[in-house]
Amino acid sequence: MLRLIGQRLLAMVPLLLIVSVLTFSFTALLPSDPVDLIIGDRGSEEQYQMIRERLGLNEPFVTRYVTWLGQAVQGDLGTSFFNSVRVTDAVMLRMPATLSLTFASVLISVVVGLGAGVAAALRPRSWIDRLATVGATIGQAVPNFWFGLILASVFAVSLRWFPATGYVRLAEDPAGWLRSITLPALALGLSTSAAIARQVRSAMVGVLQQDYIRAARAQGLPARRVIFRHALKNALVPVVTVLSFQITVLLGGALIVEQVFAINGIGSLAVAAVRQQDIPMIQGIVLVLVLVVMAVQLATDVLYGLINPKARPA
Amino acid sequence: MKLSHVRPSTLAVVIPSVAVLATLLICALFAEWLAPYDPLQQNLMDMLQGPSAEHWLGTDDLGRDVLSRMIHGSRIAVIAAAEATGLAVLIGVPVGLFIGYRGGWWDWVTMRLVEAIVSIPGIMVAIVIIAILGTGLHRAMFALGILYSTAFLRLARSVVLTEREEVYVRSARVIGASPSRILVRHIFLNIAPPLIVQVTLTVGAVLLAEAGLSFIGIGVQPPQASWGTMLNTAAAYMELNAFLAVPPGLAIVATVLSVNLLGDVLRDSIGRGIRLPEATPVHVPASAPARSRSSEPMTPRADDALLVDGLTVTVSPKGGQPVPVVTDMSFRIGRGETLGLVGESGSGKTVTGLALMGLIGAGGRIAGGRVLLDGTDLLSLPASGLEAARGSDIAMVFQDPTTSLNPAFTVGSQIAEVLRVKQGLSRRAARDRTVELIDRVGIPRPAERADAYPHELSGGMAQRIAIARALSCGPKLLIADEPTTALDVTVQQEILDLFRDLQDDFGMAMLFVTHDLAVAADICDRIAVMYCGEIVETASVDRLFSHPRHPYTSGLLSAMPHGASGTPPLPVIPGTVPPPGSWPPGCRFASRCAHADAACAAPVPLTTAEVPGQQVRCVHAAALTLEAAQ
Amino acid sequence: MTFAIRKLAYSTFAAAALFVLPATADPAGTFRFAEQAKLITMDPHNHSGGGFSYLRPVYESLFDRNPDGDIVPVLADSYQVDGRTVTITLKPGITFSDGTDLTADLAARNLNRVIELGVNAGVKLAEKAEATGPDQITLTLKSPDPSIIDALSGTAGMMVSAAALDDPALDRNPVGTGPYVYSPEESREGELRVYTPAPGYRDPEAQGLARIEISEIPDNTARLNALKTGQVDLAIFLSSPQAAIVDRTPGLKLLRQPGGTTYHLSVLDREGTQVPAFADPRVRMAMNYAIDREAFSKAVEFGLSTPATQPYAEGLWAYDPALEGRYAYDLDKAKALMQEAGYAEGFEFTMPSIPIFASRLEAVAGFLKEINVTMNIQTVEPGTLARRSRTTDFPATNLVWNNAIDPKFVTTYYVAEDAVFNPFRIKPDPKLTELSEAGLAIADEAGRAPIYREMLGRLAEESYMIFITTTPILFGASDAVATNETVQFRPGTDTPYFAGIRLGN
């Protein structure tokens, strides 16, 4: 297992390098001169040159990249163009909200997806199967932010069970955190729940027809045990694959759902940074998001190895 | 795909989906004529109204007609989907084709770039591209086009990689066609089906992404009416008029749903070839299952380990009448005795084994009969009683050891689990017993092997494990369903020897299901020959081989390979086995039997032949002279 | 010309503004305020507008306005204006929260920094400042400026400690002379700013709060919810559906403060370089007549604003009652004018927009459509609208006019040939220039008012500034805060006076 983790970590290095080159070079494509944006048109030529100098914009591209990368490796993603806020601090401050939302929706997706998928697979063609299948198909067609609006309008505005906006930090008030995260996570988790339900159903239907399930039953093991131990562990394999692929979808979706619930996460930071063309901020956000994606994919790889012995390196 | 091949449930999906998309297209094309109002015509005094006769879907924050904006919004949706998907195809496919064909550095560099882009959340990629290009419908769709082109790129590349190894491409290259012509003529044809499927997936994704980007204000810009911008407005006025969010939301859901559903249907029909019929079409005459019992009931005897009496099993195909697959099944196995159940595939022998365990799959049903295990009727037991009996009193070994062991658990844990559940052993005791059992079935270094996963063992080894598991609770009856068929010839004999050895040791009765008379002869005391769901002859091994009384048995014996000479079996029985549901009411072998006559048209019971213990189901049994084994 | 010396001897204007204070002096309670603007910088001299509240607990200006709208000295003790020379005497013994003293040298350094940075339009006419005595600075102007003291009552007059001026991260580490200090440790970037009482502040009575929290909540609904759920006690609102909801929510009050902002269009290309029709005043008048301001303020601004045809609202000294109703909605007249000008078939132009203006512009586009004028809306990045309006990228623009600023800025912003928002460099009517100059030459409002009324009247005839509505400054407040008499608002700005607020009984 350690070897697998080591291999995966090693494989991440080139990918991260490419992402860093990509994010660093796309900013060179930005149409406007960041210095113009910073000083507006009130600045003199001297001021202009001074700011360019301070931001290191007069250095050649490669020098700038190497400097930036060298600092990034040490956890310093630079400073915003528009104030003295350090990008690392800003991203780390916003990350908990986005990660809370993302992982809460992963949890919801797994629970709902597994539940619906297993229930459907156990009784193919029953009403519960049809309900789950129809639900999953519709679930994948519903825009997460619209679902969020509907949830907010019903459960927050009308019923007042949950807050309509805002994010409470976990350390501050765990119960408040749970309440603040519930509706957004439900909205975000819908389509992933649907994807997992579909995957679990088809995997379970396949697994339940396997000889080893029949063999386990033939040994007189209780049906419940056979389904939830023997079948589910095998059906989980594709679920883990789906999750590792869905994590980018969920993180991306979180950026939009955050706006519905006015959560101060990476989403509003990213939109503001893009509007201001705050280059270091955009670079930092993209890089950190990719790191999160990679960490999750590493975790799912490990998980995959745990539940699927065949995937382990010999 | 011909319409006649499409199942009604597929049509139920296709028709509404096509209807939704057609409506969308019509709205997009004829928005000016269909919309009751100008979508930008405001009436500030009539703002935020609910649905009314004048405004079917109400009015928005500037008193504009929501229905008209919806209709004009469908045009945006169509343009958005067409632009982004078209661009994705136009960028992705040629690049994918090129790098797939060229390979080398081009391929390596491009694929690393694609991996990098794919590892960034898609919306973030779109946001960044929009930062460069600016907002607005066309620019946002350009961003999405670039984003989704990676999917087409990978698809095109993988198709090229597969196809360019195909012989015809190579031959075309030899003839001297230019690489581009090879690409165009050969590869492009093969790319069409997955491409169409990917296009439907992309269209759905684009519609959702466009709505999302417009919602956060960096996609389509007001006053242009897109469903996403309408939702953006609705979000601001949620507390004043929540209904505003409903029409655009539903429109997005309906459109994406229709596209996705059509995509599913397309994927099913062209992705995996033409849809296969769900089951062999079986037209069952209503009278067919009538004959369920024709032989004399059997009487239990004290030395019976198992008595099966008049067992009938039916299977209901989807939406059809139940079809009998096993009928009038009666046999007995004495304590410590081995009965071979021999027949061709489809004769119902495996179903019989599963029926004894109460494990016939969904749609199967035991329609009658008794199964007495040590005097207890298993069929009359409640589900829990049957479950308790399985493993403890009656166990089964399956044909393919590599699939009958769960790949996700170590083999040891699979045996130990049975011991702990069935016998209540502690974790440690179960482990010790497991190692003992693994040792007993002849596997060296048992403690080490207990921790192996099934895929780490050879087939023979795995089957030994399966046998150890089956015997772990000391059952009275072991059903072995073709336990050697999936194994190498050299291993087969070892496993048969193991069965014999274990039977001496454990003293259980065995039902040995096989299609191979030679194997049966090796291990069994008696043999029951099955044909079309019923036993046609039962006798001791010697008697059966020397004096077969049923023409089918005789035919099987003739088809056996001759000793060690390895001569292939001779196809001496003409015709094919009729499938369940098309069995004649009389002798089921009659259509292939050289001796058949009018008397064979009536149901035939299993009757005792001249020697006790030999039973045969043939009206002419006494009169025929049949070929015996050589 | 010499102005009378006004010796004003309040200890602090805030104390003067307050009513009877409870005897208890210990700071108590947390006052939670919600800003709609995000904090860009806490460097007052680089501050370009929006979110002044973040600065107010920490910084004090040389002058301030009291709740009645009068200018009162704060860090200054007195001032004297003599033509181009402004002499300011500092109040003795002022210390910064870092313990250092406010000296005349440092005050001059602060003012020179403001002038050099050039961010603050209010000191455009200032040339340099120098210390001319232990407690005295002299500010030299390029030309007389009757509103210079007004400018020094805002961010331009805020004094920053010497150490903080040298700190490159001044934008997040403010050090001022105010009653509270900023606590970066407890604050969360982009979410919450926390302030605690400044140790050794000269007037402990003004430090009534143990803690001030200013939340950054740009989302209208979120700000409303924060107010509803009691997460904040007071919140700024723009005219929005959410402000209308505050108005009708039990337990909350919508406070309308005098002053406010006047939303207007401005035709930039009035010689018709890009859009020939704009050269014809009749077309511009037609556009002015085509807008139904009553409907606009009722629908787009939820009845929270009032129709406007001039830059000042009723009650302000530059307001001209004669201009009231000058461009009352008259579609027939508008169509007739278009016909007369030869544009009955209409024309097309593009207008820049930012998200908060989107619904206003959508409504304007709807009105103009009635006279066949097609107005395309192009969204630009928020924060860049003013900048883009200084270029010839667009033939027209839309902005808000702050009623609190001096009418002289009408000229410097819109009218003069080198005005900020005159990118096509169009020479104004000589009479307008003449009136502008006359307005600068007189110091007192009563004398200036008729001059500016005449100027605004002439502007209305040219009709290139199309004023639409004036929105008062709106605050949503909990009932407790709405009835708390220690909570006072600075006229014409969207900030309460944090000094002097007390919570509880």
Side-chain angles (χ1 to χ4, degrees):
Chain A
M1 195 51 64
L2 281 176
R3 220 174 103 189
L4 172 85
I5 297 174
Q7 281 173 0
R8 291 287 310 178
L9 281 175
L10 224 64
M12 280 181 186
V13 175
L15 190 55
L16 266 177
L17 269 179
I18 294 168
V19 169
S20 72
V21 172
L22 264 185
T23 50
F24 201 85
S25 51
F26 79 73
T27 49
L29 299 171
L30 283 175
S32 46
D33 184 337
V35 181
D36 270 346
L37 286 170
I38 295 167
I39 61 174
D41 46 5
R42 59 178 192 263
S44 61
E45 181 61 26
E46 282 161 44
Q47 272 180 304
Y48 180 88
Q49 284 307 333
M50 208 178 71
I51 294 178
R52 277 194 78 85
E53 194 65 39
R54 178 166 64 81
L55 300 178
L57 290 174
N58 289 334
E59 305 286 326
F61 179 83
V62 176
T63 316
R64 267 159 50 205
Y65 172 70
V66 170
T67 312
W68 176 75
L69 190 68
Q71 290 170 340
V73 169
Q74 298 163 40
D76 176 9
L77 293 169
T79 307
S80 158
F81 271 177
F82 294 91
N83 47 46
S84 63
V85 173
R86 287 159 41 85
V87 173
T88 314
D89 295 347
V91 173
M92 287 309 143
L93 190 79
R94 302 300 193 89
M95 218 51 191
T98 303
L99 288 187
S100 294
L101 178 52
T102 307
F103 286 109
S105 65
V106 166
L107 196 71
I108 289 174
S109 312
V110 170
V111 170
V112 174
L114 271 183
V118 169
L122 289 184
R123 305 215 183 329
R125 279 185 258 286
S126 66
W127 65 269
I128 194 162
D129 179 27
R130 280 171 212 278
L131 191 75
T133 307
V134 169
T137 313
I138 294 176
Q140 287 189 304
V142 174
N144 47 28
F145 63 93
W146 182 67
F147 189 50
L149 277 177
I150 302 291
L151 287 178
S153 131
V154 175
F155 295 103
V157 175
S158 299
L159 296 173
R160 306 199 172 273
W161 292 352
F162 296 97
T165 51
Y167 169 71
V168 178
R169 286 175 313 141
L170 178 60
E172 219 166 60
D173 173 9
W177 172 81
L178 193 64
R179 274 163 50 82
S180 73
I181 216 74
T182 304
L183 292 184
L186 276 174
L188 184 56
L190 177 71
S191 73
T192 304
S193 303
I196 291 180
R198 284 177 76 142
Q199 196 64 57
V200 168
R201 185 198 176 272
S202 74
M204 270 304 259
V205 166
V207 167
L208 286 174
Q209 288 168 353
Q210 293 293 318
D211 277 354
Y212 54 78
I213 296 305
R214 194 171 261 173
R217 297 293 311 279
Q219 281 310 128
L221 297 178
R224 186 177 295 270
R225 190 181 178 94
V226 171
I227 289 161
F228 289 102
R229 196 173 133 87
H230 291 248
L232 201 54
K233 190 169 175 192
N234 286 286
L236 277 179
V237 173
V239 173
V240 171
T241 315
V242 170
L243 261 187
S244 114
F245 153 79
Q246 283 274 332
I247 190 70
T248 57
V249 178
L250 283 174
L251 265 178
L255 304 189
I256 295 182
V257 171
E258 278 173 12
Q259 314 275 315
V260 176
F261 293 91
I263 290 173
N264 263 331
I266 291 291
S268 55
L269 188 69
V271 171
V274 162
R275 282 187 172 152
Q276 287 183 307
Q277 310 215 328
D278 191 345
I279 293 171
M281 196 63 87
I282 300 176
Q283 287 166 343
I285 292 170
V286 172
L287 206 63
V288 172
L289 282 180
V290 170
L291 273 177
V292 171
V293 168
M294 285 181 175
V296 171
Q297 282 171 348
L298 176 66
T300 50
D301 276 355
V302 171
L303 206 61
Y304 191 85
L306 282 179
I307 60 175
N308 182 12
K310 287 186 198 173
R312 288 178 211 167
Chain B
M1 187 170 58
K2 275 190 215 156
L3 205 61
S4 56
H5 289 158
V6 180
R7 286 186 304 130
S9 63
T10 308
L11 278 182
V13 164
V14 169
I15 291 174
S17 305
V18 169
V20 167
L21 295 180
T23 312
L24 178 78
L25 213 59
I26 290 169
C27 285
L29 284 173
F30 305 109
E32 282 82 1
W33 288 278
L34 289 173
Y37 297 87
D38 182 329
L40 299 179
Q41 174 65 57
Q42 66 193 26
N43 183 349
L44 296 182
M45 292 300 144
D46 287 340
M47 58 161 195
L48 296 177
Q49 286 185 340
S52 65
E54 294 89 64
H55 300 285
W56 290 359
L57 295 178
T59 60
D60 71 359
D61 58 318
L62 297 176
R64 296 174 296 200
D65 183 54
V66 171
L67 177 62
S68 303
R69 290 177 71 75
M70 291 288 304
I71 292 173
H72 281 264
S74 63
R75 177 175 291 174
I76 303 284
V78 170
I79 293 174
E83 276 188 2
T85 312
L87 190 71
V89 173
L90 284 179
I91 296 176
V93 173
V95 175
L97 291 176
F98 175 74
I99 61 164
Y101 189 81
R102 255 325 260 279
W105 276 96
W106 284 100
D107 184 45
W108 193 89
V109 170
T110 313
M111 286 316 288
R112 295 297 85 73
L113 276 177
V114 167
E115 275 172 26
I117 293 173
V118 172
S119 67
I120 308 172
I123 283 290
M124 193 65 212
V125 176
I127 289 176
V128 166
I129 299 176
I130 289 170
I132 298 169
L133 298 175
T135 56
L137 170 65
H138 302 294
R139 284 179 282 201
M141 290 310 109
F142 192 80
L144 291 181
I146 293 174
L147 175 61
Y148 291 115
S149 66
T150 54
F152 287 98
L153 187 151
R154 290 200 283 190
L155 185 149
R157 175 179 176 272
S158 73
V159 169
V160 174
L161 290 185
T162 321
E163 296 299 330
R164 77 174 193 164
E165 295 312 319
E166 293 292 324
V167 181
Y168 58 84
V169 173
R170 268 186 248 141
S171 61
R173 195 181 290 155
V174 172
I175 296 163
S178 72
S180 60
R181 276 184 61 199
I182 302 170
L183 281 172
V184 171
R185 287 176 65 192
H186 296 295
I187 292 168
F188 209 78
L189 288 176
N190 287 296
I191 215 175
L195 195 66
I196 293 169
V197 171
Q198 185 61 40
V199 163
T200 63
L201 289 175
T202 307
V203 165
V206 162
L207 288 170
L208 288 178
E210 183 275 317
L213 292 175
S214 297
F215 178 75
I216 58 173
I218 58 176
V220 175
Q221 296 297 311
Q224 207 169 21
S226 106
W227 297 338
T229 54
M230 291 176 74
L231 281 177
N232 183 328
T233 306
Y237 296 89
M238 209 66 203
E239 303 210 16
L240 295 177
N241 184 359
F243 178 75
L244 268 186
V246 175
L250 287 183
I252 295 171
V253 173
T255 310
V256 175
L257 189 60
S258 303
V259 173
N260 285 354
L261 285 173
L262 279 184
D264 283 351
V265 171
L266 279 175
R267 189 170 45 226
D268 285 348
S269 54
I270 60 179
R272 305 174 189 149
I274 301 299
R275 178 186 288 275
L276 291 170
E278 285 286 322
T280 325
V282 181
H283 301 287
V284 189
S287 59
R291 196 197 71 176
S292 61
R293 190 74 209 248
S294 59
S295 309
E296 288 298 305
M298 313 228 337
T299 43
R301 290 202 303 241
D303 63 341
D304 283 345
L306 177 76
L307 180 88
V308 176
D309 182 25
L311 181 71
T312 298
V313 179
T314 62
V315 169
S316 305
K318 203 195 298 175
Q321 291 282 328
V323 176
V325 290
V326 170
T327 58
D328 192 24
M329 175 64 70
S330 300
F331 60 85
R332 68 173 86 231
I333 307 177
R335 294 182 206 286
E337 190 190 27
T338 302
L339 175 72
L341 196 57
V342 180
E344 290 169 275
S345 50
S347 61
K349 55 191 193 302
T350 297
V351 173
T352 304
L354 291 173
L356 300 185
M357 306 285 297
L359 282 179
I360 36 180
R365 198 174 72 85
I366 295 174
R370 290 188 297 165
V371 175
L372 301 182
L373 180 69
D374 229 7
T376 313
D377 188 357
L378 295 179
L379 301 186
S380 67
L381 289 176
S384 60
L386 194 57
E387 197 168 275
R390 286 202 292 260
S392 304
D393 298 329
I394 178 168
M396 192 158 175
V397 174
F398 291 83
Q399 177 171 350
D400 187 349
T402 56
T403 61
S404 66
L405 290 171
N406 194 326
F409 296 93
T410 63
V411 294
S413 75
Q414 297 188 50
I415 299 175
E417 182 187 17
V418 172
L419 290 167
R420 292 177 61 202
V421 172
K422 303 303 290 187
Q423 302 197 323
L425 261 56
S426 70
R427 190 176 287 272
R428 169 166 288 276
R431 165 81 191 181
D432 293 346
R433 177 85 183 115
T434 298
V435 175
E436 243 173 70
L437 280 164
I438 295 176
D439 186 40
R440 179 66 193 83
V441 294
I443 296 178
R445 289 177 311 188
E448 193 181 310
R449 294 302 165 87
D451 293 330
Y453 285 94
H455 71 275
E456 295 167 341
L457 299 179
S458 70
M461 200 98 83
Q463 192 61 300
R464 284 171 193 268
I465 296 286
I467 292 167
R469 179 174 64 172
L471 293 180
S472 59
C473 301
K476 294 164 190 157
L477 174 72
L478 179 70
I479 301 172
D481 183 7
E482 307 252 16
T484 59
T485 309
L487 303 175
D488 287 351
V489 182
T490 48
V491 184
Q492 281 188 8
Q493 195 55 49
E494 291 173 26
I495 296 292
L496 289 178
D497 291 343
L498 177 64
F499 270 115
R500 226 185 330 262
D501 182 27
L502 289 170
Q503 192 175 27
D504 289 347
D505 204 352
F506 286 76
M508 75 282 185
M510 273 211 288
L511 177 65
F512 202 96
V513 177
T514 180
H515 68 285
D516 188 340
L517 265 177
V519 168
D522 191 354
I523 193 160
C524 300
D525 302 310
R526 287 187 305 120
I527 289 176
V529 178
M530 281 192 78
Y531 184 78
C532 284
E534 61 192 5
I535 291 180
V536 291
E537 184 165 9
T538 311
S540 70
V541 174
D542 291 344
R543 180 72 196 170
L544 191 87
F545 275 64
S546 57
H547 293 93
R549 291 319 309 148
H550 195 284
Y552 178 65
T553 312
S554 166
L556 280 184
L557 289 170
S558 315
M560 275 178 68
H562 294 177
S565 69
T567 317
L570 303 167
V572 292
I573 310 176
T576 53
V577 184
S582 55
W583 294 337
C587 175
R588 292 170 189 169
F589 188 62
S591 62
R592 303 169 74 189
C593 183
H595 314 285
D597 58 21
C600 301
V604 188
L606 193 64
T607 49
T608 304
E610 58 261 44
V611 179
Q614 182 167 29
Q615 290 177 301
V616 65
R617 193 187 294 275
C618 176
V619 287
H620 301 304
L624 293 177
T625 311
L626 296 169
E627 197 180 346
Q630 284 143 0
Chain C
M1 203 187 319
T2 306
F3 294 108
I5 297 170
R6 281 195 275 176
K7 176 88 179 167
L8 296 154
Y10 299 108
S11 63
T12 72
F13 81 88
L18 293 179
F19 301 83
V20 184
L21 284 176
T24 54
D26 281 350
T30 301
F31 185 72
R32 292 159 308 170
F33 179 65
E35 253 290 356
Q36 55 91 20
K38 298 202 76 76
L39 171 61
I40 306 296
T41 177
M42 291 174 113
D43 172 356
H45 307 154
N46 259 315
H47 202 275
S48 55
F52 290 115
S53 300
Y54 299 115
L55 304 176
R56 291 293 186 181
V58 174
Y59 290 112
E60 290 169 318
S61 297
L62 292 170
F63 302 91
D64 203 346
R65 276 184 190 273
N66 70 14
D68 295 332
D70 300 324
I71 291 178
V72 293
V74 178
L75 299 178
D77 201 34
S78 62
Y79 73 96
Q80 184 184 354
V81 178
D82 182 3
R84 299 197 298 117
T85 306
V86 181
T87 312
I88 298 166
T89 309
L90 295 176
K91 191 170 288 169
I94 300 284
T95 56
F96 288 97
S97 60
D98 62 6
T100 57
D101 294 331
L102 172 64
T103 61
D105 280 334
L106 181 56
R109 185 182 163 197
N110 267 284
L111 289 180
N112 283 325
R113 181 168 183 260
V114 180
I115 295 165
E116 274 161 30
L117 285 172
V119 176
N120 195 307
V123 293
K124 271 274 186 291
L125 296 177
E127 196 174 333
K128 68 172 196 307
E130 55 195 331
T132 48
D135 283 331
Q136 195 187 57
I137 48 173
T138 303
L139 182 64
T140 313
L141 306 178
K142 293 170 192 156
S143 63
D145 182 353
S147 63
I148 187 70
I149 299 300
D150 186 21
L152 295 180
S153 70
T155 49
M158 286 183 175
M159 293 293 129
V160 182
S161 91
L165 283 177
D166 293 332
D167 183 356
L170 172 60
D171 64 338
R172 286 296 181 278
N173 294 303
V175 182
T177 61
Y180 295 93
V181 290
Y182 175 60
S183 167
E185 299 77 31
E186 293 173 85
S187 300
R188 291 197 302 277
E189 182 63 32
E191 277 179 56
L192 184 73
R193 307 290 161 180
V194 176
Y195 305 82
T196 52
Y201 183 65
R202 61 184 183 280
D203 180 12
E205 284 296 310
Q207 296 172 294
L209 302 165
R211 188 178 164 96
I212 298 172
E213 293 182 0
I214 305 184
S215 302
E216 292 179 33
I217 314 183
D219 184 272
N220 283 330
T221 309
R223 210 159 55 257
L224 170 68
N225 286 330
L227 195 59
K228 273 183 173 174
T229 55
Q231 288 164 28
V232 300
D233 310 304
L234 183 69
I236 299 178
F237 277 91
L238 302 174
S239 59
S240 64
Q242 286 73 26
I245 291 166
V246 171
D247 216 8
R248 60 173 93 143
T249 302
L252 299 181
K253 289 264 187 309
L254 187 71
L255 309 176
R256 295 169 171 83
Q257 291 303 307
T261 53
T262 303
Y263 179 66
H264 60 278
L265 312 181
S266 178
V267 176
L268 304 174
D269 182 25
R270 45 187 191 269
E271 283 180 348
T273 320
Q274 292 174 1
V275 181
F278 279 158
D280 193 324
R282 289 170 295 188
V283 168
R284 307 196 298 253
M285 288 169 102
M287 289 165 65
N288 225 332
Y289 279 117
I291 293 166
D292 183 350
R293 293 172 173 79
E294 295 285 348
F296 185 97
S297 58
K298 176 175 176 282
V300 183
E301 305 189 309
F302 304 89
L304 299 169
S305 62
T306 50
T309 44
Q310 56 180 315
Y312 292 96
E314 194 171 355
L316 297 167
W317 65 268
Y319 172 80
D320 184 0
L323 281 175
E324 199 55 39
R326 170 66 186 84
Y327 285 105
Y329 179 54
D330 190 339
L331 198 53
D332 292 337
K333 200 164 186 177
K335 283 179 176 163
L337 282 164
M338 288 295 279
Q339 179 88 38
E340 227 177 279
Y343 287 101
E345 298 304 309
F347 60 95
E348 194 170 330
F349 73 101
T350 301
M351 179 67 101
S353 170
I354 47 176
I356 57 164
F357 287 171
S359 67
R360 299 179 188 195
L361 283 178
E362 282 189 61
V364 168
F367 289 126
L368 295 183
K369 207 163 162 289
E370 295 292 315
I371 55 170
N372 293 327
V373 175
T374 304
M375 184 175 92
N376 300 311
I377 299 169
Q378 185 182 324
T379 307
V380 300
E381 293 306 328
T384 65
L385 176 63
R387 199 166 56 82
R388 298 288 293 273
S389 302
R390 298 172 179 201
T391 68
T392 54
D393 291 354
F394 297 98
T397 189
N398 62 134
L399 296 160
V400 290
W401 173 263
N402 187 339
N403 281 210
I405 68 173
D406 193 272
K408 73 172 184 180
F409 290 111
V410 173
T411 308
T412 50
Y413 280 151
Y414 297 101
V415 178
E417 189 180 351
D418 61 349
V420 177
F421 300 118
N422 185 5
F424 292 86
R425 299 288 167 241
I426 291 156
K427 278 197 205 326
D429 176 24
K431 182 68 187 166
L432 280 175
T433 314
E434 191 183 301
L435 287 167
S436 304
E437 280 165 8
L440 287 179
I442 302 175
D444 68 306
E445 290 169 356
R448 298 173 73 205
I451 299 171
Y452 285 112
R453 284 176 190 163
E454 189 181 347
M455 188 180 97
L456 294 176
R458 293 191 76 89
L459 265 180
E461 293 312 305
E462 297 213 6
S463 189
Y464 55 81
M465 293 190 72
I466 300 172
F467 296 95
I468 298 176
T469 50
T470 298
T471 310
I473 295 163
L474 302 170
F475 288 94
S478 64
D479 276 348
V481 165
T483 53
N484 184 337
E485 290 179 335
T486 68
V487 178
Q488 295 281 311
F489 298 93
R490 190 175 271 108
T493 76
D494 53 4
T495 56
Y497 298 106
F498 291 106
I501 295 181
R502 283 187 184 279
L503 299 175
N505 335 323

